[in-house]
Amino acid sequence: MRTRTKAAVGIGAAVVVVGGAAVIFGPGWYADRAEDAAADEPSLSASAAPADGADSSGTWTVSDGSYAGYRLDEVLQGEDVTVTGRTEDVTGEVTIAEGEVTEANIEVKVATIATDSGNRDGYFRENAIEADQFPTATFELTEPAALEEGATEVELVGDLTVHGETKSVTVDAEVGGDGTNALQVVGSVPITFADFGVEAPNLGFVSVEDTGSVEFSLDLAKG
């Protein structure tokens, strides 16, 4: 039985990052710096109009400009900090038929997920997510999802696999694009780290919340 990983998702080398910068400059400085580095939540581009389900039929391939990653909260001596990690190493395909998303298989190379801190990223890859053993995270659609005419919102039900653990999830997503040559799909899904064999750490002066989210923005091209 695999020993549950003692994760520092969003902390990294805490003694170096927190014990150095935060102690010297104070937790408020560290919180402001990390908050400024956090990326905005994924959203449809201004030009991504609601996709027409009928016109969108076919197989779509993940293309350049796509990304996936995580969003979570740290607490440093009472200061809340939001941290985001992202990678553009995303591949996969989405199939649409008769106004429904019928298939979707997405794969993310977790070893290339990066934040604003190399120390944090090294700990995330080596200790938290154990990227050498579990190099990818995947999502596979398990139920058809209807694309309502004139709407962008869609719920995607499928299996999310992270750190070798697979759980059924519901992704709140949005779909937009011209429906002929380009589509964009954005969304996020809340996760509890323990569900995927990862225990959020508490080092006293700094801790990571037990929950976070996986988020993504996929630019799709007709394949």
Side-chain angles (χ1 to χ4, degrees):
M1 181 176 181
R2 187 177 72 248
T3 302
R4 176 169 291 175
T5 305
K6 188 68 174 179
V9 181
I11 292 200
V15 173
V16 175
V17 176
V18 178
V23 170
I24 294 172
F25 298 104
W29 174 89
Y30 174 80
D32 290 343
R33 179 180 179 277
E35 200 73 36
D36 289 343
D40 293 336
E41 295 182 2
S43 62
L44 291 178
S45 65
S47 60
D52 187 323
D55 293 341
S56 302
S57 294
T59 299
W60 297 80
T61 302
V62 175
S63 61
D64 292 345
S66 301
Y67 65 82
Y70 65 82
R71 180 179 299 269
L72 53 80
D73 290 327
E74 295 175 348
V75 180
L76 171 62
Q77 296 181 3
E79 295 283 349
D80 294 329
V81 181
T82 297
V83 173
T84 55
R86 289 182 173 176
T87 178
E88 294 183 359
D89 283 332
V90 185
T91 57
E93 291 185 338
V94 175
T95 301
I96 298 174
E98 298 180 354
E100 289 186 330
V101 181
T102 57
E103 295 181 52
N105 291 278
I106 308 299
E107 182 174 286
V108 180
K109 188 176 180 181
V110 297
T112 59
I113 294 176
T115 67
D116 63 316
S117 167
N119 289 324
R120 177 193 289 127
D121 297 338
Y123 200 104
F124 167 77
R125 295 163 188 166
E126 296 172 15
N127 299 82
I129 208 69
E130 297 180 296
D132 57 337
Q133 298 182 54
F134 310 104
T136 62
T138 62
F139 175 80
E140 180 178 359
L141 190 74
T142 56
E143 297 181 13
L147 297 174
E148 301 294 340
E149 185 176 354
T152 59
E153 296 83 4
V154 62
E155 285 191 347
L156 304 175
V157 178
D159 288 337
L160 176 66
T161 300
V162 176
H163 193 234
E165 301 284 348
T166 301
K167 302 295 179 184
S168 178
V169 298
T170 299
V171 182
D172 292 325
E174 291 185 275
V175 180
D178 63 17
T180 302
N181 299 305
L183 284 177
Q184 184 185 12
V185 183
V186 302
S188 66
V189 55
I191 64 169
T192 300
F193 298 128
D195 290 345
F196 295 92
V198 175
E199 183 178 346
N202 186 336
L203 304 181
F205 55 88
V206 62
S207 63
V208 173
E209 298 293 345
D210 296 331
T211 60
S213 61
V214 172
E215 57 186 23
F216 60 88
S217 176
L218 304 179
D219 288 340
L220 305 178
K222 203 68 167 287

